[in-house]
């Protein structure tokens, strides 16, 4: 780590965005496709990662940066048990990852041996939306039991998405979730965003998501 | 609204805590019991409020302050349709309520005619934990489909709770949720916290929660 001087009055986001660009350059040099994975707590980010690792192997190799507010390695342990390298970032109670945290994690991963990098952000639909990390795409994992009003209540995070996963579709019969209402809200904020309804529990719908990820990775290599 | 001067260098939380104390004094003068209701997005805070309004009526009158990051009135409309006065706070994208926002909302409610006030915070398990509002109790709504690891991953918010609601227990048969593991995590952080497993959908378990709330309200009147 090098010490970095920040001019008094310099906007914090400006400093973050410059570090994000340095992360992007490093990821591009490694030929990786990198995803900033966003969600509420408990929507299924880690379950999606574990399922994706299994679906991509042995074609494509996936690495993971795990952001957590507490010094627990539950998620990183699950990822490593699934066969992928993972680095844990403890934000020390902070509510989002920033580019500096990701910059510290990247040298701990074998970037040149990976095809896809997933940065699992802190479970939070508000603060995470405001910080660029240097990744190529923002992907949100929403989930059926969270309810169909999330685009209306947390619009900022939906506006910046490159893909939207709707997890836990196996629970649809047991809850009140109007998918048309949900998608109308999404369309107002982000028309045409790639949409992947799926269930990490049953496996239904995973293929389309994995194909999208593999295609984006292939574009980086091309 | 009055203008308030803050000395340069004054800690933000110090200023917030003084405003929270002013809110508390106002709530105490009205003989209210006030709850800061916390949760992830989609855990069921508003559903719990709507169920609680119906269960308390006509014995006890409940008022609501609704915190939202966007200028949508979905939650406030639901509360008013259930027959209770509600005030909407739009945080302008901010990730938590603070004492100043609550201080602005309180004069818009008929406090002297209420027995219980619920302040529905922004859906967020991290940032909301750090700001006192002046309420008498912190109550978290966790939910079964969010998973059993939340106490381990978001310990700060669990430490400060006076009561813990576990919503959506009707979904237990369809998800992997180990209640013993969940409660072991809770016990490490907050032994003896009041615990209310319930379903806002089926109504199961609501009575114990409503009784707890009514008893706390009666204590304020005594």
């Amino acid at each position: 780590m090098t010490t970095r001087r920040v001019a008094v009055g310099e906007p914090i986001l400006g400093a973050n965005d410059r570090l994000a660009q340095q992360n992007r350059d490093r990821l591009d040099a490694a030929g990786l496709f990198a995803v900033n994975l966003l969600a509420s707590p408990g929507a299924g980010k880690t379950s999606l990662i574990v399922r994706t690792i299994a679906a991509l192997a042995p074609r494509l190799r996936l690495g993971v940066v795990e952001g957590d507010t507490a010094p627990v390695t539950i998620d990183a342990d699950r990822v490593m048990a699934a066969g992928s390298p993972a680095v844990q970032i403890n934000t020390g109670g902070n509510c989002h990852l920033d580019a500096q945290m990701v910059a510290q994690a990247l040298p701990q991963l074998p970037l040149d041996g990976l095809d896809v990098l997933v940065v699992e952000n802190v479970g939070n639909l508000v603060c995470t939306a405001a910080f660029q990390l240097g990744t190529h795409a923002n992907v949100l994992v929403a989930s059926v039991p969270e309810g169909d009003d999330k685009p209306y209540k947390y619009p900022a995070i939906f506006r910046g998405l490159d893909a939207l996963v709707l997890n836990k579709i196996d629970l649809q019969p047991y809850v009140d979730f109007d998918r048309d209402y949900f998608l109308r809200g999404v369309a107002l904020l982000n028309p045409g965003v790639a949409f992947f309804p799926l269930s990490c529990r049953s496996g239904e719908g995973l293929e389309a998501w994995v194909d999208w990820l593999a295609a984006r990775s292939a574009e980086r290599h091309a």
Side-chain angles (χ1 to χ4, degrees), chain A:
Chain A
M1 258 180 67
T2 56
T3 305
R4 202 171 151 279
R5 291 180 187 277
V6 178
V8 175
E10 182 182 42
I12 291 170
L13 279 179
N16 184 76
D17 287 353
R18 277 196 302 282
L19 273 170
Q21 186 57 54
Q22 291 174 23
N23 291 343
R24 173 73 66 96
D25 293 344
R26 191 185 303 204
L27 295 165
D28 284 344
L32 277 177
F33 178 63
V35 167
N36 177 14
L37 196 63
L38 306 153
S40 302
K45 294 187 299 301
T46 312
S47 295
L48 182 66
I49 290 169
V50 168
R51 279 284 201 173
T52 304
I53 291 167
L56 288 177
R59 273 192 295 169
L60 296 173
R61 292 147 302 173
L62 193 147
V64 180
V65 175
E66 287 290 345
D68 281 291
T69 65
V72 291
T73 58
I74 297 170
D75 291 346
D77 291 347
R78 286 179 67 193
V79 167
M80 287 189 282
S84 279
V87 175
Q88 168 94 5
I89 299 176
N90 173 12
T91 69
N94 210 336
C95 52
H96 60 270
L97 293 180
D98 62 26
Q100 170 73 47
M101 297 177 199
V102 173
Q104 290 172 28
L106 292 183
Q108 303 176 54
L109 283 167
L111 295 184
D112 291 326
L114 298 176
D115 302 289
V116 176
L117 178 73
V118 177
V119 180
E120 181 176 341
N121 218 311
V122 175
N124 187 321
L125 290 191
V126 186
C127 316
T128 51
F131 289 83
Q132 300 293 323
L133 305 181
T135 48
H136 301 97
N138 289 329
V139 177
L140 177 71
V141 184
S143 73
V144 164
E146 284 172 62
D148 48 31
D149 57 1
K150 293 301 156 289
Y152 304 91
K153 288 187 174 173
Y154 301 89
I157 204 161
F158 280 85
R159 276 197 199 95
L161 296 183
D162 299 284
L164 171 61
V165 171
L166 178 64
N167 190 20
K168 308 191 191 183
I169 59 171
D170 55 299
L171 295 179
Q172 176 74 62
Y174 314 112
V175 299
D176 301 314
F177 182 92
D178 181 340
R179 196 187 288 188
D180 289 340
Y181 176 68
F182 177 79
L183 288 176
R184 280 200 301 278
V186 173
L188 285 170
L189 299 162
N190 194 336
V193 65
F195 177 60
F196 303 104
L198 55 82
S199 165
C200 288
R201 192 174 161 92
S202 73
E204 184 187 350
L206 270 164
E207 197 175 324
W209 153 252
V210 170
D211 285 350
W212 181 85
L213 204 57
R216 295 294 85 72
S217 170
E219 286 169 11
R220 308 301 310 170
H221 284 295

